[in-house]
Amino acid sequence: AQTVTQSQPEMSVQEAETVTLSCTYDTSESNYYLFWYKQPPSRQMILVIRQEAYKQQNATENRFSVNFQKAAKSFSLKISDSQLGDTAMYFCAFMLGGTSYGKLTFGQGTILTVHP
Amino acid sequence: DAGVIQSPRHEVTEMGQEVTLRCKPISGHDYLFWYRQTMMRGLELLIYFNNNVPIDDSGMPEDRFSAKMPNASFSTLKIQPSEPRDSAVYFCASSLRFFRETQYFGPGTRLLVL
């Protein structure tokens, strides 16, 4: 079974600073996807960024970027120029391709607080 | 275009009562997923459907839980009888068949079983 581990239960950062959230995963498969989801206090699950395992280039979405280290099975999220609206729970998630395509496995989450 | 719609948004019930949660996926999406979020277990997939047919229900915790999708625009998750440990936030999500890596989540239903 695939597992996703987020070792930082809580993080905090000052507004405009940069913060990195860590995630490791375990799989023996080669065809998979990795995600970061944001869950603000409203509870809505929002997809922040996605990485396909076959792509070597790290995904970037505006202020959000990932550091995908496939050999180390590490998938960290970097948030640049942090904003108050970035305050939320962040979940790392994993999805296999093939017959399990569609099944998301989530980490335990990291609570990020951005301070003014 | 409307997103995934869930109802009710909040539900408070007493132990032993039947609870029905509802979901309307995004029009045209042929995959539907039910997730549960608790403090103890985090976010976990319960069941998912393809074209109204259940594909994988291995995450359904026990026989008290059942899910149906009678048509492409409606799904229910039923708990009968409910127990306090079922208290959680239940999310529904939908996606297109060939883009299942992009799932659109509903706002969730917060269930409290007393």
Side-chain angles (χ1 to χ4, degrees), chain A residues 35 39 44 50 101-103, chain B residues 37 56 101-103 105:
Chain A
F35 309 84
Q39 187 178 41
Q44 181 72 48
R50 179 182 79 208
Y101 181 37
K103 297 179 67 172
Chain B
Q37 184 177 26
D56 187 335
E101 68 273 22
T102 303
Q103 296 181 16
F105 281 75

Side-chain angles (χ1 to χ4, degrees), chain B residues 42-60:
Chain B
L43 266 162
E44 52 184 346
L45 177 66
L46 300 178
I47 185 171
Y48 69 98
F49 295 82
N50 174 25
N51 287 329
N52 315 335
V53 177
I55 301 301
D56 187 335
D57 65 354
S58 59
M60 294 287 263

Side-chain angles (χ1 to χ4, degrees), chain A residues 33 95-103, chain B residues 97-101:
Chain A
Y33 304 82
M95 179 190 293
L96 278 176
T99 56
S100 295
Y101 181 37
K103 297 179 67 172
Chain B
R97 177 183 179 186
F98 295 109
F99 297 93
R100 275 166 268 169
E101 68 273 22

Side-chain angles (χ1 to χ4, degrees), chain A residues 60-71:
Chain A
T60 298
E61 288 288 344
N62 301 313
R63 299 182 295 107
F64 298 88
S65 61
V66 298
N67 184 4
F68 175 43
Q69 300 290 325
K70 191 170 184 177

